[in-house]
Amino acid sequence: MTLTVDTSRLSGVVRSSTYLAMRSVQGGREVYSIRVPLHDLIDVMPIPDPDYVDADNRRVNVRHAKEFGLYLKNPYWVAPALLARDAGGCTYTPLDGSDGMVGYLTIPWTNSGMSLILTIDGQHRILGIFLEIKRITSEILTIDRALAKKGLKEDRIAKLNAEKAQLTGELERLRTESIGVDIYHEPDGVAARQMFVDVADNARGISAAVRSRFDSSKVANRTLDQVIKHALLRGRVDMEQDRMTRANTNLIGAKHVADITRGVMFGISGRTSKAKESSFEDHEVVNRVLDFLDCITEAFPDLAAVADGSLSPQDLRDKSLLGSVGILRVLAAVYRNLTEKGVDGQAVTDFFRSLNPHMAAPVTQESVWRQDSKTSESFEVGANAPVMRQQNLTWIADAVTSWYKK
């Protein structure tokens, strides 16, 4: 008997993955750009350990990582490429006719003992993907155990199968959707650390003002463009900066408009559940906030003067507490507190009008803000604005709300 063995079909245990890569040069280093399915990422990239600080990276924050994992449920998720460093474990084979710019990149798995991959940027994304895969597979296993029990009712079986189908679909999506990985060939450990520092130093985070303009996941951000059309805000909102200095020609920033919107809708903290937020239509939110802006513009002559252009935001900040973002947030929360209790808009306007004599700045020892036990800790003598800590603004809003009854 003669046996013929096709040795090309014998691979044994393969502890590496091969991807089509584009080769380029950056900073004198070879860089290989690939796309890796999310589910495969945990094989070729090291999983960060929250209990261990990598000498070449910062400590990973588990909460932040989990948030990214949950974010992946968004069907329109987006994330930049991960940056990694290879000290010599990867093998690149260029394609014929590509001038060396396109080829196959073989990456040893992290558990193979041959991997020399380290993360430069993206460890929270990697850990988040790992934790999300772990969560889904664990829940599928729990359902399988439940289905193995005898005596289950049909409706219970149907519910478990539906849950398993949903989880299986989530897992399959992690197998089919990919993320970019740029792998730098850098054998020098000292140079690799410098790469991490350079990436961190040159990264520019997104300001809260810019987030308010573009993050449409929150109703306060989605309605921004319509709210700033109000006469008080039109042309007086800083769309880039989060802080309002005295010299700023704008009244408030885009972030502060979003804070005021949240104050009108949900109170001083602005915290709410997704279910509660989704219960409001955008036009309903816009109308409520515009009503509030009408209210304070009518109640406070200085704000009316800003709205008609006869008083500049800089001069307002010099003479009145109303030039403070904190006071505007407090008024928004008080407006919400009172209207939620059934007080009509005109009555709130009249109440705010009674506060107008007490808005002079800077704060004096005789000021009403220094006489109330709830607000005295939140206003320093000589200040043009309250203490901006969340707790202090909460105390002020609660105090002013209670003054309405008096």
Side-chain angles (χ1 to χ4, degrees):
M1 180 176 64
T2 302
L3 299 177
T4 302
V5 178
D6 183 357
T7 57
S8 66
R9 300 187 62 178
L10 304 178
S11 62
V13 178
V14 178
R15 294 191 178 277
S16 64
S17 297
T18 301
Y19 301 94
L20 187 65
M22 293 188 64
R23 176 187 172 275
S24 58
V25 177
Q26 185 181 99
R29 302 179 181 93
E30 290 183 326
V31 184
Y32 303 102
S33 299
I34 60 176
R35 301 292 298 183
V36 180
L38 297 177
H39 195 279
D40 296 351
L41 195 68
I42 61 177
D43 291 327
V44 297
M45 295 292 290
I47 306 303
D49 184 350
D51 298 323
Y52 171 75
V53 181
D54 190 326
D56 296 320
N57 215 316
R58 69 184 75 184
R59 183 185 294 275
V60 69
N61 183 295
V62 177
R63 181 184 61 81
H64 181 40
K66 286 183 176 179
E67 287 175 351
F68 179 77
L70 293 175
Y71 166 67
L72 291 175
K73 291 184 176 182
N74 181 348
Y76 305 108
W77 71 277
V78 61
L82 307 171
L83 303 185
R85 165 236 178 173
D86 170 43
C90 296
T91 302
Y92 177 71
T93 305
L95 289 175
D96 293 338
S98 69
D99 293 329
M101 296 296 103
V102 181
Y104 301 108
L105 184 70
T106 299
I107 308 174
W109 289 357
T110 55
N111 64 358
S112 68
M114 302 297 292
S115 175
L116 296 175
I117 292 285
L118 293 174
T119 304
I120 297 173
D121 182 56
Q123 61 175 357
H124 287 95
R125 279 166 277 164
I126 295 169
L127 181 58
I129 293 167
F130 170 76
L131 293 175
E132 182 65 3
I133 293 172
K134 185 178 179 180
R135 178 192 70 81
I136 295 173
T137 53
S138 176
E139 291 186 14
I140 290 176
L141 181 59
T142 300
I143 291 174
D144 284 340
R145 288 172 177 168
L147 287 170
K149 295 180 180 179
K150 297 180 180 181
L152 290 179
K153 295 182 179 180
E154 291 187 4
D155 58 341
R156 175 61 175 164
I157 294 174
K159 182 179 180 181
L160 289 172
N161 281 325
E163 292 176 355
K164 181 178 179 179
Q166 180 179 346
L167 291 168
T168 302
E170 292 178 11
L171 197 60
E172 183 59 30
R173 192 164 70 89
L174 294 179
R175 290 193 178 101
T176 58
E177 300 205 3
S178 302
I179 190 169
V181 183
D182 287 345
I183 300 177
Y184 292 75
H185 177 66
E186 178 53 77
D188 188 328
V190 175
R193 288 191 181 188
Q194 186 62 47
M195 291 172 67
F196 169 76
V197 173
D198 290 346
V199 169
D201 283 348
N202 288 294
R204 182 183 180 186
I206 184 172
S207 69
V210 175
R211 182 183 297 277
S212 297
R213 290 166 55 197
F214 297 113
D215 183 4
S216 61
S217 64
K218 305 293 184 182
V219 68
N221 299 336
R222 289 198 304 272
T223 56
L224 177 69
D225 288 344
Q226 298 178 68
V227 169
I228 62 176
K229 293 178 181 178
H230 189 276
L232 179 61
L233 304 182
R234 190 183 304 120
R236 303 183 183 90
V237 176
D238 194 319
M239 305 303 284
E240 296 289 338
Q241 303 299 317
D242 295 339
R243 295 184 60 201
M244 287 294 102
T245 62
R246 287 195 175 188
N248 198 315
T249 58
N250 295 289
L251 178 62
I252 56 179
K255 169 189 179 299
H256 309 128
V257 178
D259 287 340
I260 289 171
T261 298
R262 283 188 287 268
V264 170
M265 299 305 299
F266 309 116
I268 194 68
S269 71
R271 295 192 185 95
T272 186
S273 65
K274 290 184 178 180
K276 186 173 181 180
E277 180 166 314
S278 63
S279 67
F280 293 104
E281 297 289 342
D282 287 7
H283 69 85
E284 181 182 0
V285 174
V286 171
N287 288 337
R288 286 198 192 186
V289 179
L290 292 180
D291 287 344
F292 163 71
L293 295 173
D294 285 342
C295 171
I296 60 175
T297 304
E298 180 181 345
F300 300 107
D302 282 343
L303 292 183
V306 171
D308 66 25
S310 59
L311 180 67
S312 70
Q314 300 101 307
D315 290 338
L316 176 69
R317 282 190 279 271
D318 285 339
K319 62 176 289 191
S320 174
L321 294 175
L322 293 166
S324 159
V325 172
I327 285 294
L328 296 180
R329 287 182 59 190
V330 165
L331 293 175
V334 173
Y335 180 88
R336 182 258 183 186
N337 294 343
L338 295 178
T339 54
E340 287 283 303
K341 294 179 180 179
V343 180
D344 65 66
Q346 187 56 52
V348 178
T349 302
D350 293 338
F351 171 54
F352 282 172
R353 188 178 289 115
S354 72
L355 297 176
N356 186 60
H358 308 293
M359 291 296 177
V363 173
T364 65
Q365 184 60 49
E366 294 72 31
S367 169
V368 67
W369 307 107
R370 296 287 301 173
Q371 311 310 312
D372 190 293
S373 59
K374 289 186 177 180
T375 61
S376 59
E377 294 183 24
S378 304
F379 285 90
E380 298 177 355
V381 174
N384 284 48
V387 176
M388 288 295 292
R389 288 191 296 267
Q390 184 75 30
Q391 184 60 62
N392 293 93
L393 296 183
T394 299
W395 288 338
I396 301 170
D398 290 346
V400 176
T401 300
S402 69
W403 293 352
Y404 176 77
K405 296 180 181 179
K406 302 176 184 180

